[in-house]
mmCIF file of all heavy atoms in Angstrom:
data_model
loop_
_atom_site.group_PDB
_atom_site.id
_atom_site.type_symbol
_atom_site.label_atom_id
_atom_site.label_comp_id
_atom_site.label_asym_id
_atom_site.label_seq_id
_atom_site.Cartn_x
_atom_site.Cartn_y
_atom_site.Cartn_z
ATOM 1 N N CYS T 107 25.119 18.757 -59.046
ATOM 2 C CA CYS T 107 24.567 19.670 -60.043
ATOM 3 C C CYS T 107 24.208 21.002 -59.402
ATOM 4 O O CYS T 107 23.643 21.057 -58.313
ATOM 5 C CB CYS T 107 23.329 19.046 -60.674
ATOM 6 S SG CYS T 107 22.579 20.069 -61.942
ATOM 7 N N HIS T 109 22.048 23.029 -60.304
ATOM 8 C CA HIS T 109 20.631 23.371 -60.384
ATOM 9 C C HIS T 109 19.957 22.995 -59.070
ATOM 10 O O HIS T 109 19.787 23.839 -58.199
ATOM 11 C CB HIS T 109 19.982 22.657 -61.587
ATOM 12 C CG HIS T 109 18.514 22.904 -61.696
ATOM 13 N ND1 HIS T 109 17.616 21.906 -61.990
ATOM 14 C CD2 HIS T 109 17.794 24.035 -61.550
ATOM 15 C CE1 HIS T 109 16.390 22.436 -62.021
ATOM 16 N NE2 HIS T 109 16.476 23.714 -61.757
ATOM 17 N N LEU T 110 19.655 21.697 -58.877
ATOM 18 C CA LEU T 110 19.016 21.305 -57.622
ATOM 19 C C LEU T 110 19.748 20.167 -56.915
ATOM 20 O O LEU T 110 19.203 19.535 -56.015
ATOM 21 C CB LEU T 110 17.558 20.917 -57.865
ATOM 22 C CG LEU T 110 16.621 22.091 -58.219
ATOM 23 C CD1 LEU T 110 15.256 21.568 -58.656
ATOM 24 C CD2 LEU T 110 16.437 23.044 -57.043
ATOM 25 N N GLY T 111 20.978 19.898 -57.336
ATOM 26 C CA GLY T 111 21.811 19.017 -56.524
ATOM 27 C C GLY T 111 21.901 17.551 -56.885
ATOM 28 O O GLY T 111 22.459 16.768 -56.120
ATOM 29 N N CYS T 112 21.371 17.120 -58.018
ATOM 30 C CA CYS T 112 21.531 15.721 -58.399
ATOM 31 C C CYS T 112 22.997 15.440 -58.737
ATOM 32 O O CYS T 112 23.799 16.361 -58.864
ATOM 33 C CB CYS T 112 20.657 15.379 -59.594
ATOM 34 S SG CYS T 112 18.900 15.464 -59.204
ATOM 35 N N CYS T 128 23.488 15.848 -66.192
ATOM 36 C CA CYS T 128 22.668 15.641 -65.001
ATOM 37 C C CYS T 128 21.360 14.975 -65.398
ATOM 38 O O CYS T 128 20.622 15.514 -66.226
ATOM 39 C CB CYS T 128 22.383 16.967 -64.319
ATOM 40 S SG CYS T 128 21.279 16.772 -62.911
ATOM 41 N N CYS T 130 18.592 14.579 -63.887
ATOM 42 C CA CYS T 130 17.321 15.037 -63.343
ATOM 43 C C CYS T 130 16.546 15.941 -64.305
ATOM 44 O O CYS T 130 15.383 15.701 -64.566
ATOM 45 C CB CYS T 130 17.543 15.704 -61.996
ATOM 46 S SG CYS T 130 17.861 14.463 -60.723
ATOM 47 N N HIS T 131 17.203 16.986 -64.801
ATOM 48 C CA HIS T 131 16.486 17.867 -65.728
ATOM 49 C C HIS T 131 17.354 18.199 -66.926
ATOM 50 O O HIS T 131 17.379 19.323 -67.405
ATOM 51 C CB HIS T 131 16.043 19.150 -65.023
ATOM 52 C CG HIS T 131 15.451 18.907 -63.664
ATOM 53 N ND1 HIS T 131 16.158 19.094 -62.498
ATOM 54 C CD2 HIS T 131 14.244 18.449 -63.298
ATOM 55 C CE1 HIS T 131 15.394 18.765 -61.467
ATOM 56 N NE2 HIS T 131 14.232 18.380 -61.911
ATOM 57 N N ASP T 132 18.144 17.213 -67.367
ATOM 58 C CA ASP T 132 19.014 17.384 -68.537
ATOM 59 C C ASP T 132 19.978 18.559 -68.411
ATOM 60 O O ASP T 132 20.231 19.265 -69.388
ATOM 61 C CB ASP T 132 18.190 17.549 -69.818
ATOM 62 C CG ASP T 132 17.310 16.339 -70.080
ATOM 63 O OD1 ASP T 132 17.807 15.216 -69.881
ATOM 64 O OD2 ASP T 132 16.141 16.513 -70.455
ATOM 65 N N GLY T 133 20.482 18.792 -67.220
ATOM 66 C CA GLY T 133 21.511 19.821 -67.053
ATOM 67 C C GLY T 133 22.807 19.342 -67.700
ATOM 68 O O GLY T 133 23.120 18.154 -67.671
ATOM 69 N N TYR T 135 27.158 20.303 -68.675
ATOM 70 C CA TYR T 135 28.353 21.106 -68.415
ATOM 71 C C TYR T 135 29.425 20.683 -69.398
ATOM 72 O O TYR T 135 29.564 19.493 -69.697
ATOM 73 C CB TYR T 135 28.881 20.865 -66.992
ATOM 74 C CG TYR T 135 27.875 21.121 -65.894
ATOM 75 C CD1 TYR T 135 26.939 20.144 -65.551
ATOM 76 C CD2 TYR T 135 27.867 22.319 -65.189
ATOM 77 C CE1 TYR T 135 26.011 20.369 -64.547
ATOM 78 C CE2 TYR T 135 26.947 22.548 -64.177
ATOM 79 C CZ TYR T 135 26.019 21.567 -63.859
ATOM 80 O OH TYR T 135 25.109 21.779 -62.860
ATOM 81 N N PRO T 146 19.225 23.847 -67.343
ATOM 82 C CA PRO T 146 18.836 24.446 -66.049
ATOM 83 C C PRO T 146 19.956 25.001 -65.160
ATOM 84 O O PRO T 146 19.743 26.033 -64.523
ATOM 85 C CB PRO T 146 18.095 23.315 -65.342
ATOM 86 C CG PRO T 146 17.606 22.430 -66.436
ATOM 87 C CD PRO T 146 18.624 22.518 -67.528
ATOM 88 N N PRO T 147 21.125 24.386 -65.087
ATOM 89 C CA PRO T 147 22.116 24.942 -64.147
ATOM 90 C C PRO T 147 22.569 26.348 -64.553
ATOM 91 O O PRO T 147 22.743 26.633 -65.731
ATOM 92 C CB PRO T 147 23.297 23.970 -64.248
ATOM 93 C CG PRO T 147 22.767 22.760 -64.901
ATOM 94 C CD PRO T 147 21.633 23.178 -65.752
ATOM 95 N N GLY C 82 17.505 16.393 -56.722
ATOM 96 C CA GLY C 82 16.837 17.537 -57.335
ATOM 97 C C GLY C 82 15.497 17.208 -57.965
ATOM 98 O O GLY C 82 14.780 18.109 -58.404
HETATM 99 S S1 LIG B 229 19.326 19.049 -60.717
HETATM 100 FE FE1 LIG B 229 20.690 18.967 -62.389
HETATM 101 S S2 LIG B 229 19.509 19.776 -63.976
HETATM 102 FE FE2 LIG B 229 18.164 19.953 -62.294
#
Side-chain angles (χ1 to χ4, degrees):
Chain T
C107 181
H109 177 223
L110 289 171
C112 294
C128 176
C130 285
H131 316 101
D132 300 318
Y135 304 82

